[in-house]
């Protein structure tokens, strides 16, 4: 079951949102409603669900409602209409006290402008969530010190936020959010205020932390590269409505509308897409067959080449011609001995990493996973098709 | 052309005050007595203590607030000057009235400032009242106050509190409203209750502004000492008043210098404390 389930959430900002909502349902546009009644439609009919342990990225330009959306998940903002379930619990029904307990125990949040307490030291900032929970000082400072160390700020415990650089401040923000060990981590443009180099480092750190912690992370960004890099799934938000939800590959290869298409146009696909998203199933897998068995199998399947994989690992490629020739010259009993050694690539590799191998090989390159099994094959033609956006292909024709 | 509403207002007020005195006279008297007990205690302690010990305490407070030796010595020298002007006794009486007034102003002012920072309605309602408190001539409420509490120190404290509390309320309000929104939001996101938010984030970050409010309150309280002396509160104000009444400009000047010295002492100590609070309380440097 989804951990976070948002159903038909609409948010209208203004003094009389109900009336604007009725107008919106009658088909009025956001602009009309703003002009008529000075009400702003922040979100309109948003439904999405987030699975436990995934990084769910909400991506949109400024004004698209993404910061409004993330604030609904811990009710810093209440929706005008709709339902929000977290772990099966309708959080809109919580009383103030229950809501405070929910925020203390279930969620942690990281902010774009860090939101650190300037009058508290790094350690006191990180320990804040535990202090709010009422944990004794010694216990909370011990836990906080561990998190300060985890984000690499050992030695800065007694500094004040303004004494730290932006990147270090956001590490404090991250440690503060993680210190209460929340199930859900809400990250509102957490890395947007940092310069590109530091941003890359923070993304690496988040990926590394996530591989150990398996939190459910909702990550807001306006940066598509960041979304593609971090997201297990990405939701694209435009003017308060969802344009598309999908994996990075789905978003890139199958954009739902022109807006998403325009967005993904300039993405460096070779760096974002992985081999497994574009590979083809292997035509023929051979192990320790005799040459005759192999030939029969190739003829039956209509395959010109076979990939030889046996107890000793990936052995290489055999062509039908080579098998024929080997049978004619009575050279050996099994295909293993005539297999031509060929490069292999990992399914998680980016296309950019896979490209040299596919270009240098006469045959499609085998995709071998960490366990040593043949997952698929990748040829330079497929890579080329994927890397060349459809529109440019049309133009070229 | 005019409708006479002045007389009905005056009559109604008089009737109301009389009704208060008749029905609640003992209540006001017990309030007055309670205040007086505290005040007399402080005043007696200050007057009983040998001046050199008071000077040492003033120096220690100045150093604790400023961590600045030069400033502390300067303040001790100023306090010594009070004695040398022959105003030691009066100064101690004035300080006692001031301390009690400022304490009451803080007890009333900070919660009201928090309230107005929280609620725009409370602010809209309270603002004209604060304007009124600062502009209405103090004799207007000194007359009924003297009728209710009797002459002397208690109505003087009341007048001082009425005149000196508004800036503290306003600066508390301002200080809390100016706390960075993102910091308050972070506190909410971590599940802080309103009280935890107020105590742990808003008040600490508003402290420089609140301290400025307390400083203003002290200065305005000192501005009231002459008026307070007119309804029988003894102290340095009395010296000025006597100079005025006896056509003795010299005595008036000496009293005036004494008030200025007290003002400088209170101002420098509270300012220095406020400046030290500024460290690490502003977002983004």
């Amino acid at each position: 079951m989804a951990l976070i389930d948002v159903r038909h959430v609409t948010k209208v900002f203004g003094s009389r949102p109900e009336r604007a909502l009725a107008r919106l349902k009658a088909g009025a546009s956001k602009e009309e409603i703003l002009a008529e009644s000075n009400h702003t439609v922040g979100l309109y009919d948003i439904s999405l669900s987030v699975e436990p342990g995934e990084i769910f990225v909400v991506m949109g330009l400024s004004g698209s409602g993404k910061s409004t959306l993330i604030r609904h998940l811990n009710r810093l903002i209440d929706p005008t209409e709709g339902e929000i379930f977290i772990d099966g619990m309708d959080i809109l029904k919580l009383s103030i006290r229950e809501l405070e307990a929910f925020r203390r125990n279930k969620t942690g949040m990281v902010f774009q402008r860090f939101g650190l307490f300037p009058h508290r030291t790094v350690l006191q900032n990180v320990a804040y969530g535990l202090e709010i929970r009422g944990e004794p000082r010694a216990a909370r400072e011990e836990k906080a010190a561990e998190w300060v160390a985890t984000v690499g700020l050992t030695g800065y415990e007694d500094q004040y936020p303004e004494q730290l650089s932006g990147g270090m401040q956001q590490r404090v923000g991250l440690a503060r959010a993680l210190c209460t060990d929340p199930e859900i981590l809400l990250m509102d443009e957490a890395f947007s205020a940092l310069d590109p180099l530091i941003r890359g480092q923070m993304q690496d750190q988040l990926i590394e932390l996530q591989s150990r912690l398996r939190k459910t992370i909702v990550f807001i960004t306006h940066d598509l590269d960041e979304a593609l890099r971090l997201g297990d799934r990405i939701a694209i938000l435009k003017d308060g409505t969802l344009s598309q939800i999908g994996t990075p590959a789905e978003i890139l290869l199958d954009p739902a509308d022109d807006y998403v298409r325009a967005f993904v146009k300039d993405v460096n696909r070779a760096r974002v897409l992985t081999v497994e998203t574009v590979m083809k199933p292997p035509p023929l897998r051979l192990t320790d067959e005799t040459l005759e068995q192999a030939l029969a199998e190739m003829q039956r399947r209509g395959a010109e080449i076979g990939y030889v994989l046996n107890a000793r690992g990936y052995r290489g490629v055999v062509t039908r011609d080579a098998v024929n020739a080997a049978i004619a010259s009575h050279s050996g009993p099994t295909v293993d001995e005539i297999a031509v050694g060929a490069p292999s690539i990992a399914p998680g590799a980016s296309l950019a990493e896979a490209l040299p191998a596919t270009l240098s090989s006469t045959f499609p390159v085998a995709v071998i996973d960490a366990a040593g099994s043949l997952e698929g094959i990748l040829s330079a033609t497929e890579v080329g098709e994927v890397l060349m956006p459809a529109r440019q292909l049309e133009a070229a024709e | 052309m005019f409708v006479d509403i002045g007389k009905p207002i005056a009559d109604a007020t008089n009737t109301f005050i009389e009704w208060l005195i008749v029905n609640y006279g003992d209540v006001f008297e017990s309030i007055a007595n309670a205040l007086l007990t505290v005040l007399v205690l402080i005043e007696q302690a200050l007057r009983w203590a040998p001046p050199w010990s008071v000077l040492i305490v003033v120096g220690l407070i100045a150093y604790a607030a400023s961590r600045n030796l030069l400033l502390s010595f300067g303040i001790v020298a100023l306090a010594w000057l009070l004695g040398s002007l022959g105003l030691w006794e009066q100064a101690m009486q004035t300080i006692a009235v001031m301390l009690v007034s400022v304490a009451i102003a803080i007890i009333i002012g900070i919660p009201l400032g928090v309230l107005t920072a929280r609620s725009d309605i409370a602010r809209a309602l309270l603002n004209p009242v604060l304007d009124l408190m600062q502009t209405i001539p103090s004799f207007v409420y000194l007359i009924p106050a003297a009728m209710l509490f009797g002459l002397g120190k208690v109505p003087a404290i009341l007048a001082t509190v009425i005149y000196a509390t508004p800036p503290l309320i306003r600066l508390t309000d301002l200080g809390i409203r100016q706390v960075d929104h993102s910091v308050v939001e972070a506190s909410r996101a971590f599940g802080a209750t309103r009280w935890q938010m107020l105590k742990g984030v808003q008040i600490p970050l508003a402290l420089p502004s609140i301290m400025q409010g307390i400083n203003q309150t002290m200065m305005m309280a000192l501005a009231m000492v002459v008026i307070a002396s007119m309804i029988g509160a003894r102290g340095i104000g009395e010296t000025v008043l006597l100079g005025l009444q006896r056509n003795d400009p010299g005595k008036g000047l000496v009293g005036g210098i004494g008030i200025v010295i007290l003002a400088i002492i209170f101002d420098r100590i509270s300012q220095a404390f406020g400046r030290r609070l500024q460290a690490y309380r502003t977002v983004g440097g």
Side-chain angles (χ1 to χ4, degrees):
Chain A
M1 196 187 70
L3 183 62
I4 301 174
D5 193 1
V6 175
R7 294 183 198 162
H8 305 292
V9 161
T10 296
K11 176 66 186 177
V12 180
F13 292 101
S15 49
R16 288 174 186 278
E18 298 80 15
R19 202 184 296 174
L21 186 65
R23 288 281 295 128
L24 193 65
K25 283 183 174 168
S29 73
K30 282 177 75 169
E31 291 74 23
E32 282 167 359
I33 289 169
L34 184 64
E36 281 168 19
S37 60
N38 205 21
H39 279 60
T40 310
V41 180
L43 296 172
Y44 182 56
D45 197 21
I46 301 286
S47 294
L48 55 86
S49 59
V50 181
E51 301 299 325
E54 75 172 335
I55 299 187
F56 188 90
V57 175
V58 179
M59 176 18 254
L61 299 180
S62 58
S64 62
K66 55 193 191 302
S67 286
T68 306
L69 177 58
I70 200 173
R71 278 166 177 71
H72 278 79
L73 302 182
N74 58 357
R75 276 188 65 192
L76 289 176
I77 296 178
D78 281 341
T80 310
E81 198 182 61
E83 293 174 309
I84 301 165
F85 291 90
I86 296 205
D87 215 356
M89 176 175 65
D90 184 350
I91 61 164
L92 297 177
K93 293 218 167 67
L94 299 179
S95 69
I96 292 284
R97 291 282 161 258
E98 289 166 339
L99 179 61
E100 282 161 0
F102 164 77
R103 287 173 180 158
R104 279 197 286 265
N105 298 313
K106 276 263 178 190
T107 64
M109 195 164 185
V110 184
F111 299 86
Q112 181 178 10
R113 305 252 29 130
F114 318 141
L116 298 181
F117 305 114
H119 61 300
R120 294 170 145 253
T121 63
V122 167
L123 194 68
Q124 289 167 341
N125 262 287
V126 174
Y128 185 75
L130 297 176
E131 184 182 328
I132 291 299
R133 272 192 205 165
E135 286 202 22
R137 188 191 197 96
R140 66 181 192 237
E141 294 201 336
E142 191 190 322
K143 261 185 225 164
E146 279 170 28
W147 279 107
V148 169
T150 305
V151 298
L153 287 177
T154 307
Y156 291 93
E157 289 88 348
D158 296 326
Q159 304 266 297
Y160 286 87
E162 71 173 35
Q163 296 171 299
L164 306 181
S165 69
M168 288 158 97
Q169 289 191 33
Q170 195 56 303
R171 280 179 199 189
V172 178
L174 188 59
R176 179 177 66 173
L178 287 169
C179 192
T180 55
D181 194 24
E183 223 175 315
I184 298 168
L185 194 58
L186 304 172
M187 304 186 72
D188 180 24
E189 297 219 38
F191 304 150
S192 300
L194 306 174
D195 52 47
L197 194 68
I198 308 289
R199 192 185 309 163
Q201 288 172 4
M202 293 294 286
Q203 289 166 355
D204 290 341
Q205 186 165 43
L206 183 67
I207 290 169
E208 190 269 320
L209 277 173
Q210 172 67 355
S211 68
R212 285 190 283 136
L213 303 173
R214 308 308 303 173
K215 299 281 179 199
T216 303
I217 301 177
V218 179
F219 193 102
I220 300 287
T221 183
H222 62 253
D223 176 358
L224 185 63
D225 286 330
E226 186 168 69
L228 295 168
R229 181 146 185 236
L230 295 175
D232 292 318
R233 286 193 302 143
I234 299 170
I236 297 198
L237 204 60
K238 182 202 178 218
D239 291 341
T241 56
L242 277 177
S243 288
Q244 187 174 6
I245 300 180
T247 63
E250 283 166 1
I251 300 272
L252 275 184
L253 298 176
D254 187 19
D257 58 23
D258 287 343
Y259 181 74
V260 181
R261 204 165 292 130
F263 239 121
V264 300
K265 194 179 63 179
D266 296 325
V267 169
N268 184 346
R269 295 167 167 224
R271 277 189 17 218
V272 175
L273 290 174
T274 55
V275 168
E276 59 195 337
T277 56
V278 287
M279 67 185 182
K280 292 247 163 61
L284 180 57
R285 186 185 285 109
L286 300 169
T287 50
D288 288 323
E289 285 94 341
T290 63
L291 292 171
E292 286 74 17
Q293 285 169 327
L295 187 63
E297 187 72 358
M298 283 174 134
Q299 279 165 341
R300 192 174 64 78
R301 299 270 288 271
E304 284 302 318
I305 52 174
Y307 291 81
V308 182
L309 227 86
N310 60 19
R312 291 195 282 161
Y314 177 52
R315 307 297 297 159
V317 182
V318 288
T319 62
R320 205 194 290 191
D321 293 344
V323 176
N324 274 323
I327 293 171
S329 66
H330 307 285
S331 64
T334 65
V335 284
D336 184 14
E337 282 153 41
I338 61 158
V340 181
S344 69
I345 47 181
S350 69
L351 293 188
E353 290 163 331
L355 198 55
T358 57
L359 286 177
S360 66
S361 169
T362 347
F363 312 110
V365 177
V367 181
I368 309 286
D369 71 8
S373 72
L374 178 66
E375 293 290 305
I377 57 164
L378 186 71
S379 70
T381 328
E382 285 143 21
V383 177
E385 273 169 17
V386 169
L387 293 186
M388 185 82 87
R391 196 170 295 172
Q392 283 174 31
L393 278 177
E394 283 159 26
E397 282 162 14
Chain B
M1 155 183 190
F2 294 113
V3 190
D4 182 15
I5 58 165
K7 198 171 157 5
I9 289 175
D11 289 345
T13 306
N14 289 340
T15 320
F16 177 64
I17 298 287
E18 267 166 44
W19 176 78
L20 276 184
I21 293 169
V22 171
N23 291 291
Y24 296 99
D26 357 334
V27 176
F28 285 102
E29 204 177 315
S30 54
I31 294 174
N33 285 337
L35 266 180
L36 216 54
T37 316
V38 178
L39 183 68
V40 167
L41 208 69
I42 296 173
E43 194 184 311
Q44 276 178 347
L46 282 170
R47 288 170 71 180
W48 166 83
W52 57 265
S53 66
V54 176
L55 288 182
I56 289 175
V57 171
V58 167
L60 287 177
I61 292 174
Y63 185 74
S66 67
R67 299 289 151 86
N68 180 338
L69 270 181
L70 196 69
L71 183 90
S72 312
F73 277 120
I75 282 171
V76 171
L78 280 172
W80 170 83
L81 211 59
L82 277 174
S84 303
L85 285 167
L87 295 171
W88 188 261
E89 291 271 307
Q90 290 91 326
M92 293 305 112
Q93 289 171 328
T94 297
I95 289 174
V97 172
M98 270 206 44
L99 288 179
V100 173
S101 306
V102 171
I104 295 174
I106 290 172
I107 291 167
I108 296 173
I110 292 181
L112 279 179
V114 169
L115 181 72
T116 53
R118 281 265 165 97
S119 147
D120 285 331
I121 298 172
R123 193 190 208 200
L125 289 176
L126 203 63
N127 242 337
V129 178
L130 296 186
D131 291 335
L132 187 82
M133 283 160 76
Q134 285 188 290
T135 48
I136 201 165
S138 25
F139 291 109
V140 173
Y141 49 79
L142 274 179
I143 303 164
M147 287 164 77
L148 288 169
F149 295 111
L151 283 174
K153 297 188 166 77
V154 175
I157 288 175
L158 184 81
T160 309
V161 168
I162 289 176
Y163 183 65
T165 310
L168 180 56
I169 298 176
R170 290 210 165 103
L171 282 162
T172 303
D173 175 28
L174 184 73
I176 289 179
R177 280 175 192 260
Q178 276 180 342
V179 172
D180 188 334
H181 175 72
S182 68
V183 173
V184 178
E185 189 180 46
S187 163
R188 267 181 82 202
F190 278 94
T193 61
R194 295 181 83 174
W195 173 244
Q196 284 174 325
M197 221 183 292
L198 191 68
K199 188 174 67 107
V201 178
Q202 290 172 306
I203 299 251
L205 289 177
L207 261 188
S209 178
I210 293 174
M211 206 49 224
Q212 215 179 341
I214 292 175
N215 171 271
Q216 289 289 302
T217 295
M218 287 175 169
M219 295 305 101
M220 291 180 75
L222 273 173
M224 282 298 280
V225 294
V226 177
I227 288 173
S229 72
M230 290 182 181
I231 47 169
R234 311 199 54 190
I236 295 192
E238 201 186 3
T239 311
V240 180
L241 190 67
L242 283 178
L244 195 73
Q245 285 167 342
R246 295 182 189 162
N247 209 5
D248 184 347
K251 197 178 182 69
L253 179 66
V254 170
I257 292 172
I259 292 175
V260 169
I261 289 175
L262 272 184
I264 294 174
I265 292 174
F266 277 102
D267 181 59
R268 288 304 124 94
I269 291 179
S270 58
Q271 293 266 26
F273 187 55
R275 255 197 307 281
R276 282 212 308 123
L277 283 180
Q278 297 271 343
Y280 307 124
R281 281 177 209 273
T282 43
V283 177

